[in-house]
Amino acid sequence: MKSYKNELNFIKKAMLDGYNKYCDIKITLIDKADYDIVTELDYNIEKYISAEILKVFPEDRILGEEHSAGVDVVGRTWTIDPIDGTNNMANGIPLFGVQCSLFDDGKPVVGAIYLPFANEFYSASIGEGAYLNDKQIYVAKPDLKHAVVSFGDYPHTRPNESAIQLKIMAHLSDKVARIRMFGAASIDYAYVAAGRTHGVILYTKNKWDIAPGILLCLEAGAKAYSLDTKDGEYNFDSPSVIVTSTEELYQCIKSSVM
């Protein structure tokens, strides 16, 4: 299997440098869309990481949330989520992160998540395991009554998907230990990979949101599923993405919508 160690080391440095360069600037809120905001920090970090990628890998493509969201993932394509959890950050809630991934031939092969508030850097490359601050991590596999499951934010513009999330949440409420909503996919996935939580349910196709964390969780021993495919196998065209550390938890989630 091809090694992506150089790419992983490169993007980890670019992410840290980009965040540290701009993290002290005054936060200016900009209305991005209804119920959604962006800040100058998001813009500056994405510009910095994009420029660094093009210096080292000039032939690669970049799919960034703020500047190049319409780019197709073809060949080698980097994804950049400069601040995942912008609303949390802007409101002084320290649950946010910087996250990037590299796709090669249609699948993520490098994933990195930096959580500044905790000084935690999660990273993975395909076939090489998942790491937290360079120490290998693995999912935890409790039974249902000890499982903690997190959910992504409700999609304001997609009420049907919000209704499904609410249905799943109600179904799980008396079957798992706790339900959480962190407000940042970077937190959701990092915590599953580290064994702190045991499943996450999100509705999005935004690769910058989910690709780093999906790879991280897979390399830590979790599995990814979808409620929108016949066989339950996840692909990046599926609107729902479910990552769990156990088959039992996935089957419980699946049964809520059958």
Side-chain angles (χ1 to χ4, degrees), residues 154-155 158-168:
Y154 301 121
R158 303 190 303 278
N160 290 342
E161 293 175 4
S162 294
I164 295 171
Q165 283 188 232
L166 285 167
K167 185 176 181 180
I168 297 170

Side-chain angles (χ1 to χ4, degrees), residues 129-214:
Y131 294 83
L132 166 54
N133 293 346
D134 298 322
K135 180 179 180 180
Q136 191 162 9
I137 54 176
Y138 304 90
V139 298
K141 299 187 176 185
D143 56 27
L144 273 180
K145 68 180 180 180
H146 294 113
V148 180
V149 181
S150 66
F151 284 75
D153 294 330
Y154 301 121
H156 284 97
T157 59
R158 303 190 303 278
N160 290 342
E161 293 175 4
S162 294
I164 295 171
Q165 283 188 232
L166 285 167
K167 185 176 181 180
I168 297 170
M169 191 177 290
H171 179 77
L172 292 180
S173 63
D174 63 351
K175 294 177 176 61
V176 301
R178 294 291 185 272
I179 290 172
R180 298 286 183 258
M181 184 176 278
F182 298 116
S186 53
I187 303 289
D188 292 309
Y189 289 121
Y191 283 6
V192 171
R196 297 171 182 171
T197 61
H198 313 102
V200 55
I201 297 138
L202 290 168
Y203 269 85
T204 183
K205 293 183 181 180
N206 296 333
K207 293 179 178 66
W208 56 78
D209 279 322
I210 56 180
I214 288 175

Side-chain angles (χ1 to χ4, degrees), residues 13 27 29-30 39 45 72 97-98 108-109 142 153 156-157 161 164 186 193 209 215 219 221 251 255:
K13 183 178 187 304
I27 299 298
L29 301 184
I30 303 167
T39 71
I45 291 175
D72 292 330
V98 183
V109 295
D153 294 330
H156 284 97
T157 59
E161 293 175 4
I164 295 171
S186 53
D209 279 322
L215 179 62
E219 288 294 323
Q251 291 299 335
S255 69

